[in-house]
């Protein structure tokens, strides 16, 4: 089975369409979503509709939660908070009910999906160190987890023999030799690893490989929509830089 794993779409329809066209070309049969469909971008409604049409295996991100009052915006920076409030005003009640109903973590065919961390999915912490990864590995009930949240693609490995944790930022990741892996699939709609191209992962369950794909898309169109919507200008500017 070839899975397309998408996260941190953030209302960026142009990036989402580029990713989906690539996934189809690469024989993706099933889609999984690690959250943050909305927030930052000007097309939350379109992105919710597109994702809902693809899969029911979706977990909630912190922006999805904040838009519908499931999480406090107090911890968001000013721009993120503005975008949350804008999105709340522009999303229909049915779409808000959908976001309200999303689980924080999900087990799908031996895979764990969660937006932030495995051990505290409701606190939206980041897995950015071996120490943070260890807490998630200890709570992980499956061999493989897919996460988002940092908008930086990275895979953490845990080897039971030797009790070792390490990470890789390679685009091609063979999982065969490791006890457990936590894969951050990067961000479709607002990459932050100094690469402005949209990111997602293809997981091939028979080969046990993960490939992080990067796609160019019409950033200028997305930028113009953000500016026309009256969203903070910085949200348009950062898309050019991938930051
Ligand atoms: Zn996000």
């Amino acid at each position: 089975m070839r899975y397309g794993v998408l996260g941190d779409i953030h209302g960026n329809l142009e990036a989402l369409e580029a990713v989906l066209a690539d996934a189809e070309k690469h024989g993706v049969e099933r889609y999984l979503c690690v959250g943050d469909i909305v927030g930052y971008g000007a097309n939350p409604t379109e992105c919710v509709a597109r994702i809902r049409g693809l899969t029911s295996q979706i977990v909630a991100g912190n922006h999805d939660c904040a838009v519908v009052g499931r999480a406090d915006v107090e911890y968001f920076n000013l721009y993120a908070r503005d975008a949350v409030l804008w999105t709340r005003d522009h999303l229909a009640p049915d779409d808000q009910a959908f976001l309200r109903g999303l689980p924080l973590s999900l087990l799908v065919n031996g895979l764990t999906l969660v937006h932030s961390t495995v051990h505290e999915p409701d606190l939206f912490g980041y897995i950015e160190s071996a120490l943070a990864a260890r807490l998630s590995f200890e709570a992980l009930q499956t061999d493989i987890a897919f996460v988002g949240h940092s908008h930086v693609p990275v895979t953490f490995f845990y080897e039971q023999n030797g009790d070792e944790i390490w990470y890789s930022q390679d685009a091609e990741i063979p999982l065969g030799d490791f006890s457990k892996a936590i894969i951050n699939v990067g961000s479709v709609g607002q990459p932050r690893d100094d690469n402005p191209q949209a990111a997602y992962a293809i997981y091939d369950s028979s080969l046990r490989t993960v490939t992080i794909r990067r796609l160019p898309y019409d950033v200028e169109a997305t930028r113009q929509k953000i500016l026309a919507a009256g969203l903070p200008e910085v949200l348009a500017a950062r898309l050019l830089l991938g930051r």
Side-chain angles (χ1 to χ4, degrees):
M1 175 77 74
R2 297 202 116 194
Y3 295 88
V5 194
L6 279 57
D8 293 289
I9 297 137
H10 286 295
N12 184 339
L13 186 61
E14 289 72 27
L16 178 59
E17 293 296 355
V19 157
L20 294 179
D22 184 75
E24 196 174 322
K25 212 162 53 186
H26 285 82
V28 165
E29 298 151 272
R30 197 161 166 186
Y31 290 90
L32 309 171
C33 178
V34 294
D36 274 1
I37 304 172
V38 304
Y40 297 132
N43 287 122
T45 301
E46 294 79 1
C47 290
V48 167
R50 203 74 172 87
I51 295 292
R52 283 179 86 171
L54 285 176
T55 181
S56 55
Q57 326 277 232
I58 307 166
V59 292
N62 52 320
H63 288 253
D64 302 324
C65 287
V67 163
V68 296
R70 285 172 74 183
D72 211 327
V73 288
E74 196 183 317
Y75 302 103
F76 282 55
N77 69 45
L78 220 54
Y79 313 116
R81 192 183 315 173
D82 281 357
V84 161
L85 300 177
W86 182 93
T87 304
R88 191 179 289 169
D89 284 344
H90 288 79
L91 210 53
D94 177 61
D95 288 335
Q96 298 209 21
F98 163 74
L99 294 181
R100 204 169 285 119
L102 292 176
L104 288 170
S105 63
L106 205 55
L107 298 187
V108 183
N109 295 353
L111 308 170
T112 296
L113 303 184
V114 63
H115 186 66
S116 59
T117 69
V118 178
H119 66 295
E120 292 171 334
D122 55 328
L123 296 186
F124 298 113
Y126 292 89
I127 305 176
E128 290 181 315
S129 66
L131 180 65
R134 179 174 293 278
L135 297 172
S136 275
F137 277 125
E138 283 170 357
L140 187 58
Q141 304 292 312
T142 58
D143 292 350
I144 297 170
F146 291 102
V147 304
H149 198 35
S150 71
H151 300 204
V152 176
V154 57
T155 298
F156 287 90
F157 300 101
Y158 175 66
E159 183 55 64
Q160 209 146 14
N161 303 330
D163 187 31
E164 265 186 284
I165 291 174
W166 70 101
Y167 72 91
S168 164
Q169 292 187 288
D170 291 350
E172 299 284 342
I173 308 151
L175 300 176
D177 300 339
F178 306 103
S179 302
K180 289 184 176 187
I182 296 175
I183 301 119
N184 189 314
V185 299
S187 171
V188 172
Q190 196 198 76
R192 291 181 193 159
D193 58 344
D194 298 321
N195 177 351
Q197 298 193 337
Y200 80 106
I202 294 176
Y203 169 57
D204 189 315
S205 60
S206 39
L207 298 175
R208 267 176 74 83
T209 56
V210 173
T211 307
I212 303 291
R213 303 276 309 155
R214 301 306 291 258
L215 285 311
Y217 68 95
D218 192 349
V219 181
E220 194 48 37
T222 308
R223 255 169 47 77
Q224 292 305 331
K225 284 183 184 177
I226 287 172
L227 296 174
L231 284 156
E233 281 180 37
V234 66
L235 299 180
R238 68 190 299 179
L239 293 178
L240 289 173
L241 305 169
R243 250 178 238 168

